[in-house]
Structure formats: C-alpha cells, structure tokens
Amino acid sequence: MTTGPVGVAIVGAGVISRQYLRNLTAFPDLRVLGIADLDTARAQAAAAEYGVPVAGDLATVLALPEVEIVVNLTVPGAHVAVATAALAAGKHVYGEKPLALDPAEGEKLLADAASRGLWVGCAPDTFLGAGIQSAMRAIESGAIGTPVAATTAMLNFGPERWHPSPEFLFQPGAGPLHDMGPYYLTSLVALLGPVSRVAARARRGRTERVIGSGPKAGTRFPVEIPTHVAALVDFATAEASAASTFSFDSALPRTQFEVTGTEGTLSLPDPNTFTGPLRVRGAADQEWRLLPITGTDMGRGIGVLEMARALRAGQPPRASGTLAQHVLDTMTAIEHSAAHGEFRTVTSRCPRPVALPEDWDPLAATLLRPSGAPASA
C-alpha cells in the first residue's frame, strides 16, 4: 500500500498502551487494526475500549495484511524479539525505548531492517512536541548565540511508589539512565548533535524496593542496576558539553534542562513532556522571558504518526532507529565509564533531526485514501 492511512498494530497492552491508543485512534492518517499481548484477555479489553477490530497474540496481528507498522510496547527485554518477528513478517517497527538492551542487538536489528527495505523507529517522541521543537528553532535562530554547555537533571525517589508492577524498571535495560535518560539524551542530540564521548559515576542507593500501589503493594523486590548516575557528555559537532544527572534516589523531585550559549541561556521544559514553558535570559536581562511555543502537544504516538507520513513520502522518520541506537550507545558508554572510571568514546553517529514544520498537525488528514476505500476506513 502506497497511499491512504497507514495501518498499525500494537503489541503490548500494558500501562503505556492507553496513552498510545488514545492518540493513535484519533489520528486520521492512521488506522489501528490490531492489538496483541501475552495476556490475550488484556488485549481484548483494550481493543473493546478503543474500537480496535482485532485482538489476540503476536502471530494474530502480524498476519493482518493491512498492518504496515507494528508499535512495540512490550517490556525492554522483549523489544528485540518482537521487533525481529515484525520485520520477518514484512512490517516496519516503531518501538518504545530503549531500542535494545545491548548495542550489538540494536545494530543487528537495524541491519535486519535495512536488508529487508524496512524502517525502524523508536521512542521517545517527546522531542517532536512543541516544547523541544520550539527550543530547536530558538537555538537555530541565534536566541542564545553559540551553545557552550547544557545542564540537565532528573531527580525523584523512584517509580515504585505509583507503578503497580515496577520491578522491570529496576532491572537491566531500565533504571533512571535507561528509563528516563532517553528523554534527555535524545533531546540533547536534537539540540546539539551526536555525542562523541562521556564520563560518568554511578551508584545503587538501595538493594531492594517496596511496591507502593496496586494489588502488589507492600511487596519487596531486588534492585539490579545503579539508581543514581551523573554523566559528563561531549558532542561531536558542537563545541559544547552537558552535565546530566539521572536519579531514583532523591527525596526532592527536581527536573532541570538548560542550554547556555555565548549570548544567553535557554530554560527548556521537562523533555518527558510535549509542551512548554520555554524561557530565555540574555546577558542584559534581569529576569527570564517566555518564548512562544509552536507545534503539537498531542502526546505519545506522534512519533508513530510522523513515521507513517515519512513512509508515504519515502523518507526516514525523525524518531529513527539510528537516533535510538546512538542514544543506546551513549547510555552504554555512560555505564562503562561509571564502572571503569574513565572517559568512553561513542563511535556511532546519527543525523541531527530536522525540526518539524511549525504547522505540523496530527489531526490533519494529509494522506490520500486508496482508490475505492470507504471514508470510514
């Protein structure tokens, strides 16, 4: 199919799927045709709630001929296996982050996709929202001169207080670095280009945690990864560096994202959101000034939509597997640096994503329907 709305299927009917389903079913350029889960009853419940015609297991949705993109919302440990199965079925893949648990697996996945003429896209797509997109335009317009440094921080006491099944967030492939780091690192790459080297320190604040909500409240579980990571990040094409902290060990919640340039400083919104505020303070300013925010704040799923429109245009997606692989390489280098106490080089590179048009509208019907397709298709 080369015209008309793009058919998608979702694999994984967990907590995050509701945010995707709410948006993907509202975008005219997409058709959500199926949803799969290991718990097929859970998939059926989600399908009934959002009017998705097919629910079942992975094989069921991969067999749907009109599905072009598989949206992989499984736990990190299953990302590569599900994506590989989707590629083998001739489907493009858009997955939740991280792309893979290991960079070698990610490279193999991208090579598999390339050999089949298929695309891989990957979250986070928050950098496509109005907040970070407006920051990209502000930097490109010279609002702060030449970028010199960035400071980012994500500090809280951990997701086990609110998540009903948080164990996977404290296993390899997650933690504050792999779970929250992609939002910050992807946005930094979008703003400043690819990473060249890193240095880091890390520690594990507690050896076990307690689930604070849901049917498993009070259950203890082990912590298998560092829960506080501090990193210094250098960039390949910008004379700039970033100091970034990711922590599940802070009783004081805090989010910070600032880019300092030769002529001023830009204060960005939380990169795990899709909107503002965006503020600037120049050398002569006594206070912060708000900058206008333009773009979409529709939320999770706009990366799938952007990928679908890019497919129809014969272009790679902005939230690409190449970008996600570079971020994965960067996070792995941070882990290795923290473990060995030395700078680590990041050898992979990715294009710096081009900003979306300011009038990019998820709710616009931009793709022509195939000949003979009903208006409700």
Side-chain angles (χ1 to χ4, degrees):
M1 185 183 293
T2 58
T3 61
V6 174
V8 303
I10 291 174
V11 180
V15 174
I16 197 66
S17 68
R18 273 16 185 213
Q19 297 182 44
Y20 276 89
L21 281 162
R22 182 178 64 246
N23 284 333
L24 299 186
T25 56
F27 298 155
D29 284 343
L30 299 179
R31 293 187 299 159
V32 182
L33 301 174
I35 181 165
D37 195 272
L38 289 173
D39 182 349
T40 56
R42 185 164 69 166
Q44 290 164 357
E49 182 177 355
Y50 289 93
V52 178
V54 176
D57 60 10
L58 177 61
T60 298
V61 299
L62 292 184
L64 296 172
E66 290 185 298
V67 168
E68 298 178 69
I69 299 176
V70 170
V71 182
N72 184 3
L73 306 183
T74 57
V75 297
H79 284 181
V80 170
V82 171
T84 299
L87 293 174
K91 316 296 187 184
H92 304 282
V93 178
Y94 180 95
E96 256 301 329
K97 44 76 182 168
L99 179 69
L101 297 185
D102 177 79
E105 289 186 332
E107 291 172 0
K108 183 178 179 181
L109 181 68
L110 296 183
D112 184 16
S115 71
R116 299 175 185 275
L118 298 169
W119 288 110
V120 173
C122 190
D125 56 2
T126 46
F127 80 97
L128 299 176
I132 302 302
Q133 290 290 302
S134 296
M136 291 170 64
R137 298 187 193 101
I139 290 175
E140 290 167 359
S141 72
I144 59 170
T146 302
V148 173
T151 303
T152 76
M154 188 292 303
L155 310 173
N156 62 55
F157 208 53
E160 76 274 16
R161 291 189 170 188
W162 58 267
H163 199 295
S165 296
E167 297 94 332
F168 76 96
L169 293 168
F170 294 87
Q171 296 171 354
L177 177 60
H178 283 272
D179 183 48
M180 299 302 296
Y183 299 109
Y184 292 81
L185 293 169
T186 301
S187 294
L188 284 171
V189 172
L191 294 162
L192 301 173
V195 174
S196 60
R197 67 173 186 164
V198 301
R201 297 285 289 174
R203 58 161 291 174
R204 180 174 55 170
R206 286 170 282 163
T207 58
E208 67 176 17
R209 302 253 173 162
V210 180
I211 300 176
S213 66
K216 296 191 290 185
T219 302
R220 295 181 177 274
F221 63 93
V223 177
E224 301 178 23
I225 39 78
T227 49
H228 184 94
V229 180
L232 175 65
V233 181
D234 287 341
F235 298 91
T237 57
E239 293 293 326
S241 62
S244 298
T245 303
F246 312 101
S247 182
F248 285 164
D249 289 321
S250 176
L252 176 64
R254 180 175 295 171
T255 299
Q256 181 183 16
F257 198 140
E258 293 179 357
V259 179
T260 297
T262 55
E263 306 298 328
T265 296
L266 197 65
S267 176
L268 285 72
D270 181 347
N272 191 19
T273 66
F274 291 81
T275 184
L278 179 64
R279 301 180 298 166
V280 67
R281 185 164 178 171
D285 293 333
Q286 299 299 310
E287 302 290 343
W288 291 99
R289 292 182 287 112
L290 284 171
L291 292 179
I293 297 293
T294 55
T296 180
D297 62 356
M298 283 292 293
R300 282 171 173 80
I302 60 173
V304 180
L305 175 63
E306 195 280 331
M307 182 179 186
R309 291 176 174 175
L311 290 177
R312 288 288 184 265
Q315 300 171 349
R318 286 172 168 84
S320 68
T322 303
L323 172 59
Q325 177 69 36
H326 180 67
V327 170
L328 175 60
D329 289 339
T330 299
M331 294 188 296
T332 303
I334 288 172
E335 288 180 320
H336 289 175
S337 175
H340 298 283
E342 61 187 18
F343 272 95
R344 283 297 174 106
T345 299
V346 180
T347 58
S348 68
R349 293 291 182 267
C350 66
R352 181 169 170 248
V354 177
L356 287 167
E358 291 188 62
D359 61 353
W360 192 84
D361 183 4
L363 297 178
T366 67
L367 303 179
L368 295 174
R369 297 188 181 278
S371 177
S376 60

